[in-house]
Amino acid sequence: MASKNLIRSRTHLKFVSEQPCIICSRPDVQSAHIRYAGAGIGMKPSDHFVVPLCIDHHSEQHRMNERMFWHLYKKDPLVYAFFFCLQSPDKKIKKSSFDKFRNFFE
């Protein structure tokens, strides 16, 4: 059921990966999914929930408890992800952003 609401967008992932790492500002980044915003155990969330992380920080994010990772760096990844969605060149990502993030900001 959750997979029906997942939006995949190579355009948005490329856009996010062109931004600097939100932790250290390095330019060599990957689009990192925010897993706790997820679609279920073992599933990646919708591509709305991605932020740019350098290779080192992306690896670190996967090696530890994700909420602890974000707490350690004093970052709210959902705020960043929402910001990137609103600026996305992908119209379906931009248009559906408010609905996707509504539950996190109420």
Side-chain angles (χ1 to χ4, degrees), residues 7 10 13 16 19 38 43 52 58 63 66 69 97 106:
I7 294 179
R10 288 184 183 181
L13 294 179
V16 171
Q19 312 306 314
M43 294 178 61
H58 194 185
R63 284 193 312 268
E66 187 178 16
F69 172 83
S97 293
E106 288 183 336

Side-chain angles (χ1 to χ4, degrees), residues 37-99:
I41 295 174
M43 294 178 61
K44 282 186 179 180
S46 176
D47 286 345
H48 289 84
F49 301 105
V50 296
V51 293
L53 290 179
C54 70
I55 294 165
D56 293 337
H57 285 118
H58 194 185
S59 294
E60 183 180 1
Q61 177 209 22
H62 281 281
R63 284 193 312 268
M64 64 188 301
N65 175 286
E66 187 178 16
R67 289 184 189 269
M68 184 61 72
F69 172 83
W70 294 114
H71 181 74
L72 176 69
Y73 289 105
K74 297 178 174 52
K75 301 284 184 187
D76 183 342
L78 294 171
V79 171
Y80 286 91
F82 185 54
F83 172 79
F84 290 121
C85 284
L86 295 178
Q87 305 218 4
S88 180
D90 187 317
K91 291 178 184 175
K92 69 183 175 195
I93 291 284
K94 192 181 288 192
K95 183 178 178 182
S96 57
S97 293
F98 287 104
D99 287 335

